[in-house]
Structure formats: structure tokens, C-alpha cells
Amino acid sequence: MAQLTTTTTASGAAQALNGEYLDLSLAYADEDEPECEPKPEQRQPLLNTAGRKPSLSERRNVDLPYLRVVHERVREREREPETEATTDSSPDQSSTFAPGLRRNSISMPSGINALDLEALRLRHQMQAQDALHEETIADDATSSLGTPATTPGTTTLNTPDKGTGATTINFASTPNDDDSDDEFGNVKKRVYRDRFRNRRRASIAPLPALRLNSKEMLASDFDTHSLASNQASITSVNSLASLLREKMQAFPQLIRKKKRETKDYKIKIFVIIMFFIIIFLIGYAYIAYHQQVLTKSYFQKIKFNSVDRIFRILNHDDKEVISGQLGVTLSSDSAPFHCLEEQRRSDGSVCIEWNGVARLHMNFEDKGVFRCYTLQWQALTPGLLPTDCYELKRDNGLWFGGGITKGQEWSLSYANFDFMPYASGDSKVHQFGNGVKRYFINSIGVAMQVSERTPLQLGINRTENQFCLRAANDDFTFVNRLTALPQLDYKICTTEDMRSLHMLMTQQSLWDGLKEQDIQVLHSLLEEPVWRIPNQDLPDSLNETVICDYSESAIAMGLGHIVINEFWQENIGDFSVDRARFPTLKDTIDVLHRRGFKVVFTIQPFISTDSVNFKDAVRRKLLIYERHSERSIPALTRYKSCSSAGVLDITNNASVPWLLEKLQRLKEEYGVKSFYLDLGTGYNLPHYYQCRQPLDNPDMYARMLTASLEGEGLMAVSTASVVPKPPIFLSTPPANATWEGLRETLAAVLNYGVIGYPFVLPGAIGGDYLLERSLTKMVTFYSLGQPPLPDPELFIRWLQLATFLPAMQFSHLPSEYRSDLVTRVAQEMKEVRQTVVIALLKKYLSPSMNEGLPLVRPLWMMDPHDPACLIVSDEFSVGEELIVAPILDAGREEREVYLPQGVWKDGIDGSLRKGSRWMHGYRVPKEKIAYFRKMPDNTRF
């Protein structure tokens, strides 16, 4: 379908072309529709205009263009050569209206009935839509007058002036209609619109329904699919005015629409976010609801989910202080139920059983400010190992206790090891050190104590941040099965006052049963140093001359206790002096007593097979015997220089009297009043040991023997699992003569104090032995010689540290260095200890005896709520009035120092220091040690 559209003036409207006729009975555009179709006789020639109705232009007194449709045959006729003469003629001579064309109306394309509208619609849907702007933009370069502009985005209006041809007017959109930003600086969104319908046509009211190709469709549908509908249909100046008015009215609406589109975009994002939040809250509420339904409250402060076995304890303010999972080794599909009546206890405990697998008893004990909860697991099936794991959260404080570990970590929260039997050993080889206690305390006021009858295995998993307890038997440590199946029994106590909690959990008063003589010995150990006769490479090297010479050199530093090692006897276990090497030992000891020294003999429960007492002990059946054998066959082990030795059976009622008789003879003959009990460790017992009475664990042997000899003047013991009765001190493990050994000594003293050992005897200043390589064998198995003279700097720093510890022990003497610096430092440290330290040790002696608090404490015991105090591992306090910050590394003369709250006086320059802050780059000369004394709270600068 092809057509040609032109314009003509009203003056030529009455001309006719080739005899065509115009139906004068048709109504004008502004008139009502005719009631019926015109009859054929009403048609008149185009040139005959008499009697017609006045046109719209005549009535409005304006010139309006006409829309002319030229048919194909007319176009072909115009293309012929004979029509060339008429091309320059006036419109009156060349223009002809199509038959049946209504004036001043919208033209309808000819052949409209031949359109396949459905195919056109499908083709339009399959084509890519071009992006059109909100307003059609006209080019700056418009076409010439009388020629329609072909540039897209230009609206052409042809208005003939009088005496001129058609005029083309271009309305170009303003720059604001382009892709520029809106008034709020937001980038305009490109709008995709239908190419067949512009904004002008969208503003025209919908036409009545048409019927085309036997289909009824609305005018809007027709307009969308019609190619001819994309043409302008402005027919009057009034239409132009209305177009401008519509555009002016649509401009605010356009702005509001863009704002609304922006808001819609934000609303969509907000709705999406809210959707995910609602989904999360619903899921969280679902999980929390089911956990709350399954979680029950026991004894008001216990929250326990018996299905997942999640266990939580709350404090007085209903804040969680400890949480974990009980029964980790239980199957997740095991359903719990309340125990049967015969399995319940009459003490008010709660009993929960997993049918045929395990049984849990929980009980509560209210002690006023304390709340203690008892948990006991009973395995009901072989192979099950009851295991409870608690979270190592930083918000829930740091865990301490258990003594020292293999890695010498400051806190158990920093350790990482698999399940190991909890027993005393050599911390260089085994997981735990020589001082153990089944007591663990948290810095926020939670303490845990495990029963001695539990075959306890301890494990810390840093990957999952878990601190786990397990009950499991083995072939050595817990070989004596006290129950048919393992049982895990422990107690948890909470309080806001950590000081009182520590007193409750450690032990009762240590004053019970003390004599005045015991208090004097205790004071002497705090005030006077311990002089240990150096170990010689060969036992025969020790004689009376060595003892006398050593005492004369030590007298310059002060009087004290002279400890003679086990080589005072010919064979270990003789319990008699070797008269070949010590023919006049009694006279030598008398001389030492007159000088003011106290002589101490080292004793042990081991009896060498070369000793005359070994045969006697075997005959009396006083020794530990081999498991699953007759009692007449002793179990052998190794102890220091003795490659084969038996061990006294402390559970035999005849063993202790036999030993006491030997010791009493020594006291009477040589005037010895004190003994150092070298028990080794739990691993020094024969591997397949068997006592007359079963032991709960190897550490129970050291406990029983120490208790049996408490009244015989014990000065110190090498191993302990409970706090020995004062004045007995617990020795730290032997230290290597290196800077690492210095740091290990401080860690051992602090950790032993935390678990309830207030009186600790550190190793010799400068180290007990020297090994350049790592150890693979226990030190307590061998007799190691005295290390060579340590580096002067190491000796000075070790001496400075030992000055503030509960006791000082020397092996090498300061005079051996022949150095003015070492001698001056030794004298200065001696004065500091006598004037400052000893007074504080005696002051806090009574609180330690009453409450179990250590004399030397980590900073967090002063202020457990101060986060900085928890992380400081190289500072300590003497009581609550003295802070010490030693140098523990070679070549350093400055360090970081943290002071808790309060006002502190610097021990180096006497200046006042404000607490609750760090001091960076604090200078500590080689001959000085940083320490600070607490001043009254009203002290002002």
C-alpha cells in the first residue's frame, strides 16, 4: 500500500481532477456523525461548489491544510511524460482529492482491509525495540520550507501563510528532555517506548472500536500496529496550542513520574532486604523456639538441652559464665529419658539416662555467695568414654590450672594438645609437670574440681576452642580400674568474688596442726637462702672438704639451709652415711650448725639393688611388686645414678615404720633435722607396678608418702598432687641453664600458685643443668652434673628475679665470677629482699595460709576484670602491694610495663606512676630490676 500526502489551501479545495467527485453530504470533523450514508444522487462534481456547507476553515476564519491521498493510478499518471507540463502548475490545477475523502478529518490508509494485522503484530514483537526518549528531539539543522524533515525526533507542522506555500515548523526538545541529569543530580533513566506511538498520540482520546478484517479492535490497538499512525495529525492552530498546553501540563507530571520511578527503585531494594531479614528472623525464631522448648532449667541457673546436650551455667545476673557440650561421645540419635526409680538418688539430684549407653546425675549445692554444681557421668556400655567439652571463649575469661604443661603456656586457653592422662611427670617429656592438681579456675569467677577417683584425661583443642575432660583407663596411669566402667565426676562452682572462690576450692586452712617450730622453719625459708651443694660428675667427688669450702663461700651472702644431695650414702636406699667419704661428717655438721647453717639430707623412696637394705626389703615384702605376679618379685625402675632400684610400697603398713626408723637413727647420730624428699614423678614408678592396696593414680603414692613423713621435718618435696602441710615447699622442675630456663622458672612459680601451692621453691639461680639439645628422656631419671658457670648477664637477671620469689636457691655463688658488677648486684638484691620483699612475704603469709592464695601472684588475681592483666605473663605481684617486671631475654635493657589501677612508686628512681596504663620503652639497666610499690589511694603527684 503506497500513498503520497501533500497539502493545499482552502482556495483550491473546490477544484476537481479527472472527473472525481467529492461527497458533500459528509459531516465535518467538528460535527456530529450523519445519521445515514449519503445517496449516490447527492454526489456533486468537485468543481461545482455551489450550495455546499461552509467549511471549518471558513467558519473559524483561518486557513487550514488539507490532507490529500493520491492513489497508485494517479501516481503512475503523474510519472508519465505528458504530465511534466502540469508539474509546475498551481495546486488548483494539479491537486485532486481521493474519492470519498472527508475534509478536515483523519485519513485512513487505503487498502486497510488487506492488512494482516496479526502478522504485523508478531513481527513487531519479534523486533528489538529502540530506546526512545521521553520527548522526541528535533535536530538543530531543520529541513527547508515546504519540505518535511526526515530527521527522527522532529515534529513537522505545515501551516500555509497567505500568498506563500506550506511552512514547516520544527519543535525541538529542550536539553532537559535528553539523557541529562534531573534536578536532583540523578541520571535519567532511558525509557523504552513503542515505536508506533509517540507522546502526542498517547494524549489523544481513544477512538471508537473499528472492525477490520472481520476482527474488532480498539483504536489504540489499531494505532499501535498501523504504520500510517506514526504521522502527525495536527490540523489547526488550535491543535498546535493544545499541543503546547499539554506539554506544559505534562512537564510537572513527568518530573513526578521520574521521582516516583526513583522511589520505586529504592522501595524494591528495601522490600528485598526486608524479605531476607524476615526469612532470617523466621529461621532464627524457629531454631530458638525449638531449643527453648528442648532446653530445661535445672536448679534455676543450669540450662540443659538433653537432646543436643548443650550445657550452660548462669550467674546471679543471669549472664552465661560457662557453656559447653556434655556427653560428646554419645550418639546423636540416642533419646534421653528420666532414670527409673531405683536409679535415682535421695540427695535431690536430677538423673537422666540414655538407654543402655550412659547415665548423668546433676546436683546443686547453695553456699550463699557460691553456687556449686556436681556432674557425674556413668558409662553403661563398654567402650564408651564419658567426655565433656567447654568453650574457651575470650568473653568467658581465661582458664588456668593443671600446673605447668609441656609447652609452658601461660594459660590453658593458649595450649593445644590431644587427650593425655593427667599425672605428674617431666614437663620436658610428658604433657604435665611435677606439680599437678585437679583444679582449674577461670578469670571471671568459675572454678572446676575433678574427683581423684576419675581416670582423668585432659585435652585442649585450639581449632575448636574447647577444653575437654574425659574419663578413660589405660595400662599405666589409671590401670587400677576403680569402677567397672569409666566414670567422670567433677564439680563446678561460680561466684562474683574470685578471691573467695579460690579459697573455697583450694583447701581448708593450712594452720591446722602446725607447731611453733614449723612456723619458725617456714620463716627461715622465706628469709634465708637455700644453698645446694653442687652435683659432681662422680658420686665419689662429694666429701667433707667440698661441704666445708662451699659453706665458707656462702656465708658472705648469708646463712641458710645447706642441702646435701643423695650421694651422702654409698648406695641409694642405704639411709646411712658413707663412712669412707665422710669419716667425720658429724663434726662437720656441728661446725655448720655453729655457723648458723641448717643441714638438710636428700632422701628418696627408691632402694638400689646394690644396697644392703634391698635384700631386707624383699624379704619383708616392703617393695612394690610386679603386676600379676607373686608379691615376692619386686618391680624395678631406674633412679638417677642407680640403674636398677626397687620402690617402697607405701600402702604396706610395715613400710612406713621401717623407713621412719632409718630416718630417726640419722637424726640422733648426725643431728640432722630436715630432709628434702625426692619423689621423682609419677612416671618414675615401675611401669607394671602393683601395690598391696590399689592406688587411684600414680600421684597418690607421692601424696601418701609425703603425709606419712610430715612430722619428720620435711623441708621440700619434688612432686605433689595436693598442697603439702607447711613448712613443706614444692620444688619447681629442674631448669636448663639458658634464657628459656629462666622463663620456665617464672611460669612454674605462677602456675603452681594459681592451683593452690603458695610455697614454691624455685630451682637454683643460673640453672640446674645444661643441655644444648632438646630432651627425649626424663631429667629425674638421671643424675646431671652442675652446669658450668652461666653467662654473667643470665646469672644477674636470674638473681634479680629470684629476689622477689618465695624462696631463693643457689648452686653457683656470686663470688665465683670475680666480677665487681655481679658482686654489686648481689649485694643490692640482698638488701632489697631484706628491706622490702621479706616484710611483704610475712605480711601475706597469713592470708595464704587461710585462703590458699599464693604469695607470688599473676596480675589478673589483683584485678580479674582488667583485660590487660589477663594477657601479661612476664609480670607478677608480691601480695597486692608490689609489682615486679623482670627482664627475661638476653641483651635487653628496656621493656613494656603495665601497672594495674592505683598509684605506684618506682623502685628504680623513686618517682610516682599512675596505674591502669602501659609504660612503653621503660628503661631497665643491667644492674637494675623494675619493681613498683603501691602507695595509698590519696597519694597525689
Side-chain angles (χ1 to χ4, degrees), residues 592-645:
L592 295 178
H593 286 169
R594 287 195 300 268
R595 290 178 179 178
F597 290 101
K598 303 174 182 63
V599 179
V600 180
F601 277 179
T602 299
I603 60 174
Q604 62 287 317
F606 303 94
I607 302 177
S608 173
T609 55
D610 297 330
S611 173
V612 294
N613 289 329
F614 182 79
K615 294 181 179 180
D616 184 41
V618 171
R619 182 177 58 83
R620 294 171 179 261
K621 298 182 180 180
L622 302 178
L623 302 179
I624 294 176
Y625 59 94
E626 286 281 350
R627 191 179 310 154
H628 309 302
S629 66
E630 297 180 2
R631 292 183 54 203
S632 59
I633 303 176
L636 301 181
T637 185
R638 180 175 183 176
Y639 174 77
K640 292 190 177 180
S641 61
C642 179
S643 59
S644 176

Side-chain angles (χ1 to χ4, degrees), residues 421-424 436-438 450-456 472-474 476-482 624 650-651 681-683 685 689 691 693-704 719-722:
Y422 188 68
S424 64
V436 294
K437 193 175 183 182
R438 302 185 174 204
V450 184
S451 172
E452 292 291 339
R453 296 181 60 84
T454 295
L456 176 62
N473 296 307
D474 58 12
F476 172 71
T477 311
F478 305 112
V479 66
N480 297 321
R481 290 166 171 77
L482 305 181
I624 294 176
I650 192 62
T651 63
T681 65
Y683 286 92
L685 292 180
Y689 71 94
C691 298
Q693 299 177 8
L695 299 177
D696 295 348
N697 52 72
D699 293 324
M700 194 172 182
Y701 179 88
R703 182 191 318 169
M704 297 176 64
T719 300
S721 58
V722 295

Side-chain angles (χ1 to χ4, degrees), residues 462-726:
R462 290 296 300 152
T463 303
E464 300 179 0
N465 287 330
Q466 289 183 341
F467 164 53
C468 299
L469 308 174
R470 171 175 291 179
N473 296 307
D474 58 12
D475 294 333
F476 172 71
T477 311
F478 305 112
V479 66
N480 297 321
R481 290 166 171 77
L482 305 181
T483 56
L485 296 173
Q487 291 188 5
L488 179 60
D489 190 357
Y490 61 98
K491 179 172 62 175
I492 299 177
C493 294
T494 64
T495 187
E496 298 297 327
D497 185 5
M498 185 177 178
R499 180 190 183 102
S500 57
L501 177 64
H502 185 78
M503 177 186 67
L504 171 71
M505 300 293 290
T506 50
Q507 72 279 315
Q508 297 178 354
S509 175
L510 297 177
W511 290 101
D512 188 25
L514 288 184
K515 302 176 182 179
E516 183 177 357
Q517 181 181 358
D518 297 332
I519 300 299
Q520 293 176 357
V521 175
L522 182 59
H523 284 181
S524 67
L525 288 171
L526 298 178
E527 299 171 358
E528 301 171 351
V530 175
W531 307 100
R532 192 177 70 189
I533 301 296
N535 294 330
Q536 307 298 321
D537 296 335
L538 298 175
D540 296 340
S541 302
L542 180 64
N543 51 45
E544 295 180 9
T545 303
V546 173
I547 298 175
C548 291
D549 294 342
Y550 186 82
S551 63
E552 291 178 359
S553 300
I555 198 171
M557 288 291 297
L559 304 176
H561 302 261
I562 295 182
V563 179
I564 302 176
N565 57 32
E566 65 275 3
F567 297 126
W568 56 270
Q569 42 193 345
E570 180 180 2
N571 297 301
I572 294 177
D574 287 344
F575 299 107
S576 61
V577 176
D578 184 2
R579 295 187 181 273
R581 288 183 289 121
F582 303 97
T584 60
L585 181 59
K586 184 179 185 308
D587 297 335
T588 302
I589 294 176
D590 292 338
V591 172
L592 295 178
H593 286 169
R594 287 195 300 268
R595 290 178 179 178
F597 290 101
K598 303 174 182 63
V599 179
V600 180
F601 277 179
T602 299
I603 60 174
Q604 62 287 317
F606 303 94
I607 302 177
S608 173
T609 55
D610 297 330
S611 173
V612 294
N613 289 329
F614 182 79
K615 294 181 179 180
D616 184 41
V618 171
R619 182 177 58 83
R620 294 171 179 261
K621 298 182 180 180
L622 302 178
L623 302 179
I624 294 176
Y625 59 94
E626 286 281 350
R627 191 179 310 154
H628 309 302
S629 66
E630 297 180 2
R631 292 183 54 203
S632 59
I633 303 176
L636 301 181
T637 185
R638 180 175 183 176
Y639 174 77
K640 292 190 177 180
S641 61
C642 179
S643 59
S644 176
V647 185
L648 284 175
D649 185 358
I650 192 62
T651 63
N652 189 341
N653 295 332
S655 297
V656 174
W658 181 86
L659 179 60
L660 291 177
E661 180 184 356
K662 304 292 184 182
L663 299 180
Q664 186 65 29
R665 187 182 303 125
L666 285 174
K667 288 183 178 181
E668 295 175 356
E669 185 175 357
Y670 294 94
V672 178
K673 298 181 180 180
S674 300
F675 298 97
Y676 176 83
L677 181 58
D678 188 358
L679 295 164
T681 65
Y683 286 92
N684 285 127
L685 292 180
H687 187 77
Y688 298 100
Y689 71 94
Q690 179 67 48
C691 298
R692 174 168 294 190
Q693 299 177 8
L695 299 177
D696 295 348
N697 52 72
D699 293 324
M700 194 172 182
Y701 179 88
R703 182 191 318 169
M704 297 176 64
L705 181 57
T706 302
S708 301
L709 301 179
E710 284 179 350
E712 300 303 319
L714 292 182
M715 182 198 74
V717 293
S718 63
T719 300
S721 58
V722 295
V723 180
K725 184 179 179 181

Side-chain angles (χ1 to χ4, degrees), residues 226-240:
S226 176
L227 295 174
S229 64
N230 200 29
Q231 302 174 356
S233 61
I234 303 175
T235 58
S236 65
V237 176
N238 291 340
S239 299
L240 175 62

Side-chain angles (χ1 to χ4, degrees), residues 12-22 45-47 68-71 73-75 77-78 86 91-99:
Q15 296 182 3
L17 180 61
N18 296 331
E20 297 292 336
Y21 288 89
L22 179 66
L46 289 172
L47 299 177
R68 175 188 175 193
V69 179
V70 180
H71 294 272
R73 63 179 182 274
V74 178
R75 178 182 293 180
R77 193 181 304 120
E78 289 177 352
T86 63
D92 297 340
Q93 298 176 357
S94 61
S95 300
T96 305
F97 293 101

Side-chain angles (χ1 to χ4, degrees), residues 207-242:
L207 296 176
L210 301 177
R211 186 172 187 83
L212 301 175
N213 295 338
S214 301
K215 289 178 63 178
E216 184 176 354
M217 60 184 298
L218 295 176
S220 59
D221 295 332
F222 171 76
D223 184 61
T224 302
H225 298 88
S226 176
L227 295 174
S229 64
N230 200 29
Q231 302 174 356
S233 61
I234 303 175
T235 58
S236 65
V237 176
N238 291 340
S239 299
L240 175 62
S242 64

Side-chain angles (χ1 to χ4, degrees), residues 293-517:
V293 168
L294 298 175
T295 300
K296 295 183 179 180
S297 177
Y298 298 96
F299 312 114
Q300 298 180 355
K301 297 301 180 181
I302 287 183
K303 301 295 183 180
F304 181 60
N305 186 325
S306 57
V307 176
D308 297 332
R309 298 179 298 281
I310 302 300
F311 179 82
R312 297 184 299 129
I313 294 181
L314 310 179
N315 60 8
H316 291 278
D317 299 330
D318 292 335
K319 179 182 177 182
E320 178 183 301
V321 293
I322 185 173
S323 64
Q325 183 179 10
L326 307 184
V328 176
T329 53
L330 294 181
S331 176
S332 59
D333 57 354
S334 300
F337 58 88
H338 290 286
C339 299
L340 299 177
E341 187 66 30
E342 58 270 17
Q343 302 296 339
R344 299 178 185 178
R345 299 176 180 175
S346 59
D347 56 357
S349 61
V350 175
C351 182
I352 303 175
E353 182 175 334
W354 286 257
N355 189 16
V357 180
R359 186 180 300 120
L360 172 64
H361 293 272
M362 292 188 297
N363 205 347
F364 167 69
E365 184 180 4
D366 191 356
K367 297 185 177 181
V369 296
F370 307 105
R371 289 178 176 267
C372 294
Y373 309 90
T374 301
L375 292 89
Q376 183 185 79
W377 279 101
Q378 294 178 344
L380 302 180
T381 181
L384 178 67
L385 304 178
T387 305
D388 293 348
C389 293
Y390 294 93
E391 296 181 357
L392 292 174
K393 293 181 179 179
R394 184 61 184 270
D395 296 340
N396 287 356
L398 296 179
W399 282 96
F400 296 88
I404 57 176
T405 57
K406 189 174 183 179
Q408 292 288 340
E409 288 81 5
W410 163 236
S411 167
L412 280 178
S413 299
Y414 300 145
N416 187 19
F417 54 88
D418 200 1
F419 286 99
M420 297 295 295
Y422 188 68
S424 64
D426 193 330
S427 57
K428 303 294 189 304
V429 180
H430 306 104
Q431 186 59 52
F432 305 101
N434 63 318
V436 294
K437 193 175 183 182
R438 302 185 174 204
Y439 168 66
F440 310 92
I441 189 169
N442 192 286
S443 59
I444 64 172
V446 181
M448 186 182 301
Q449 193 171 43
V450 184
S451 172
E452 292 291 339
R453 296 181 60 84
T454 295
L456 176 62
Q457 290 191 358
L458 191 66
I460 297 179
N461 190 332
R462 290 296 300 152
T463 303
E464 300 179 0
N465 287 330
Q466 289 183 341
F467 164 53
C468 299
L469 308 174
R470 171 175 291 179
N473 296 307
D474 58 12
D475 294 333
F476 172 71
T477 311
F478 305 112
V479 66
N480 297 321
R481 290 166 171 77
L482 305 181
T483 56
L485 296 173
Q487 291 188 5
L488 179 60
D489 190 357
Y490 61 98
K491 179 172 62 175
I492 299 177
C493 294
T494 64
T495 187
E496 298 297 327
D497 185 5
M498 185 177 178
R499 180 190 183 102
S500 57
L501 177 64
H502 185 78
M503 177 186 67
L504 171 71
M505 300 293 290
T506 50
Q507 72 279 315
Q508 297 178 354
S509 175
L510 297 177
W511 290 101
D512 188 25
L514 288 184
K515 302 176 182 179
E516 183 177 357
Q517 181 181 358

